Structure formats: C-alpha cells, structure tokens
Amino acid sequence: MQPELTPLAPTAALPRPSIMGRVLGGLFFVLALVTFGFGLYNAAHAAGLAGTHGTLAVERCWVEQGSRNSSDTKVCGGTFRSDNGKIIDDQASIRAEVKPGSKVSVQQAGNGYVKVGFGETTRWIAMFFLGWLVVAFGMSFAVTGMFPRSGMQVAMITRAVSGTRVGMVRKWLVRGGLAGSGVCLLLTLSAWLLS
C-alpha cells in the first residue's frame, strides 16, 4: 500500500488581471526612466560633456550616516575652482574616497560635483544598463495586469509571458542589461585598479 501523496504547500494561483498590476508595471517604467536619466546625466558630467570643469582642493572628509536601508557614504569637501577661474565654491563636496590635501578633477553638475574620468563615466553608464533590468522586471506586470502578492506569483507571472513577444523582448533586455552593466563595472574596476 502506497501512502497518499499530498502537496507540502498549497500551490499559488495566478492573480486576476487588474488595474493594480498595470500600475505596478507603470511604476517600474517610471523608476527605469529615473534610473536612465540619473545614470546618463552623471555619465555626461563625468565624461566632461556637460557642466563646468574644474578642480576640487580637498580639505576634509567625513562619513554621512546612511538610513536604515543604505550604507554610510564617504564625502570629501573643500574649494572648487573652475578652469576659467570664474567660479569659486568653498563649500564644494563630492561623494568619493580621496585624501585630504589632494586635488580632484571634477565637473560641476547642477548644485553638486561629479568626479571626472573613465572609471567614473563607466560606473554611471552601468546604472543606465541597470535601468534595463528594471524595465524587464516591470514588463510582465504591465502587460498581463497581474499584481503579485507573493514571490511565487512573481515567478508565475514572469513564466506566463515567457513564450510571447513580450517574453522575448524581456529576455533581451535582461541579457543586455546584465552584459552592459557587467562590462561597465569591469571597466570601472580596472580603471580603479590602474589608478
């Protein structure tokens, strides 16, 4: 006599399509646009394509305490002087680890400053590619309208679109996002190791 087979856990069912699933997908698209914009904005400044170029004479460094969800950040500040000498800011700061007394090539970006260089540029471009992953994650919810209530349902919704055109686009976005961000982060690391 064989024991009766019973499932160990109840199987999750796909949720019904609703406006909440489409809103969730839309939120991921908005988050991706912010990620794209932030990454490209800072990459353009780090590459010297936008903003005012100058030098930051680092006088002091400190650690800004992160919130519960983020880690502490090292910030260094001092005096920024533009290359043309027209802009002098004695309250300038950047989020980077540099030694007090050093001079750092920076680009003025709005009210802040971005460190200039190849490694910094590729680091910000990596963020652009991470935006592709955000789009890919939200596509399934936007297209199906399904709002997941558990991790199991997220996987099921993703699997539900896997054989469709949306699934193909999603697959290429994931591959491109992972490859692009991986290459950029390797270039950033190599630039950091060579400096």
Side-chain angles (χ1 to χ4, degrees):
M1 176 177 220
Q2 290 186 340
E4 189 175 317
L5 297 176
T6 58
L8 297 176
T11 59
L14 279 172
R16 292 189 178 276
S18 69
I19 190 70
M20 290 303 293
R22 300 211 192 277
V23 168
L24 178 64
L27 287 175
F28 276 103
F29 287 125
V30 169
L31 179 61
L33 287 174
V34 170
T35 305
F36 293 148
F38 192 69
L40 290 177
Y41 177 83
N42 284 309
H45 284 83
L49 301 175
T52 304
H53 188 268
T55 304
L56 174 66
V58 178
E59 298 162 6
R60 65 199 173 285
C61 293
W62 63 93
V63 174
E64 280 189 357
Q65 300 297 320
S67 64
R68 289 185 309 180
N69 299 330
S70 64
S71 61
D72 297 343
T73 305
K74 181 126 183 207
V75 179
C76 292
T79 303
F80 169 78
R81 185 177 307 274
S82 64
D83 288 346
N84 61 14
K86 292 182 180 178
I87 301 172
I88 297 173
D89 179 3
D90 60 353
Q91 299 296 313
S93 64
I94 57 170
R95 294 180 182 279
E97 281 202 44
V98 290
K99 293 179 182 169
S102 61
K103 294 188 183 235
V104 181
S105 180
V106 296
Q107 201 81 0
Q108 188 177 28
N111 292 334
Y113 298 89
V114 176
K115 198 172 171 186
V116 175
F118 179 76
E120 290 297 313
T121 303
T122 56
R123 182 172 69 97
W124 289 111
I125 293 173
M127 187 171 198
F128 169 78
F129 283 110
L130 289 175
W132 289 26
L133 298 174
V134 175
V135 168
F137 188 74
M139 285 177 75
S140 302
F141 312 123
V143 170
T144 63
M146 295 179 192
F147 185 85
R149 305 232 184 265
S150 68
M152 177 69 78
Q153 285 184 341
V154 170
M156 291 173 67
I157 294 168
T158 302
R159 201 171 315 122
V161 298
S162 65
T164 65
R165 274 189 246 167
V166 170
M168 289 299 286
V169 170
R170 185 182 181 286
K171 178 171 70 171
W172 285 105
L173 281 171
V174 168
R175 287 179 179 174
L178 289 173
S181 59
V183 167
C184 287
L185 291 174
L186 281 174
L187 291 171
T188 300
L189 181 62
S190 64
W192 179 72
L193 289 173
L194 294 174
S195 64

